[in-house]
């Protein structure tokens, strides 16, 4: 069986060659439709990516510093981004996903006696949603679907009994 070339995972400008695992979490916010027993997926949640990798060899401490710089840069990009700017985070490129708006939320390095010439690194990134209304393809899709879904009846008809403060109830209505 022929060996496949090792495709790096890019976190910002850092190439991680020895990635052990990558996990991408995606989902939708679920909200109850007012006055109904039904629920609806309203919008995508922020995507999160967890990467576990090993930094090997003499350059491992240089890669550690580069990852720390990427983490600091991602925080500064988000904090100083002008309102309405499209891309505000760092990029993550792998065989599984490509995302241009990520921020490092957790960066953990581990060195053990059993692996003296290696550093284990765990990186958690979260998607940063820009301030513009058409920032992501999901948002644009939601905007196109909104007028059509507004025409669909989703809530029960309003109660025909008029309500007044402190007034008597209409005949035949139980309190």
């Amino acid at each position: 069986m022929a060996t496949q070339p090792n495709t790096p995972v890019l976190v910002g400008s850092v190439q991680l060659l020895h990635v052990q695992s990558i996990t991408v979490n995606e989902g939708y916010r679920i909200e109850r439709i007012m006055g109904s027993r039904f629920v609806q997926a309203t919008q995508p949640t922020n995507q999160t990516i967890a990467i576990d990798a090993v930094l090997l060899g003499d350059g491992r401490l240089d890669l550690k510093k580069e990852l720390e710089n990427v983490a600091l840069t991602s925080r500064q990009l988000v904090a100083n981004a002008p309102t309405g700017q499209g891309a505000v985070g760092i990029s993550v490129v792998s065989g599984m996903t490509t995302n241009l708006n990520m921020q490092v939320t957790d960066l953990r390095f581990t060195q053990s006696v059993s692996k003296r010439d290696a550093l284990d690194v765990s990186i958690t990134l979260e998607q940063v949603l820009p301030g513009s209304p058409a920032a992501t393809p999901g948002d644009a899709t939601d905007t196109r679907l909104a007028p059509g879904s507004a025409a669909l009846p989703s809530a029960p008809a309003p109660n025909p009994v008029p309500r007044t403060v402190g007034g008597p109830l209409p005949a035949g209505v139980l309190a």
Side-chain angles (χ1 to χ4, degrees):
M1 180 175 195
T3 60
Q4 297 292 327
N6 190 8
T7 305
V9 173
L10 295 174
V11 178
S13 60
V14 180
Q15 288 187 5
L16 298 175
L17 294 173
H18 305 283
V19 172
Q20 305 302 302
S21 68
I22 183 167
T23 305
V24 178
N25 290 319
E26 298 176 340
Y28 289 88
R29 289 193 179 100
I30 305 296
E31 295 183 21
R32 185 168 296 282
I33 298 172
M34 190 171 74
S36 172
R37 62 185 171 98
F38 298 107
V39 294
Q40 178 178 1
T42 58
Q43 61 187 347
T45 58
N46 289 358
Q47 183 182 63
T48 59
I49 300 174
I51 302 170
D52 291 321
V54 180
L55 307 179
L56 297 173
D58 295 334
R60 68 186 179 280
L61 295 177
D62 293 332
L63 283 174
K64 176 184 177 284
K65 274 292 183 209
E66 288 181 40
L67 285 171
E68 289 170 341
N69 286 335
V70 165
L72 289 173
T73 301
S74 74
R75 288 181 177 91
Q76 291 171 351
L77 284 172
V78 172
N80 297 323
T83 304
Q85 182 176 345
V88 296
I90 60 170
S91 60
V92 175
V93 180
S94 72
M96 183 188 296
T97 185
T98 300
N99 197 315
L100 304 177
N101 287 323
M102 301 301 286
Q103 178 180 9
V104 177
T105 57
D106 187 46
L107 183 60
R108 185 177 51 223
F109 297 98
T110 306
Q111 187 171 23
S112 65
V113 174
S114 62
K115 295 194 263 183
R116 291 182 189 254
D117 292 336
L119 287 175
D120 292 327
V121 61
S122 295
I123 307 167
T124 305
L125 302 107
E126 185 172 338
Q127 183 180 25
V128 180
L129 295 177
S132 67
T136 61
D139 290 341
T141 303
D142 292 344
T143 305
R144 285 195 307 267
L145 293 176
S149 61
L152 298 174
S154 61
N159 190 348
V161 177
R163 301 188 184 260
T164 59
V165 178
L169 292 174
V173 177
L174 298 176

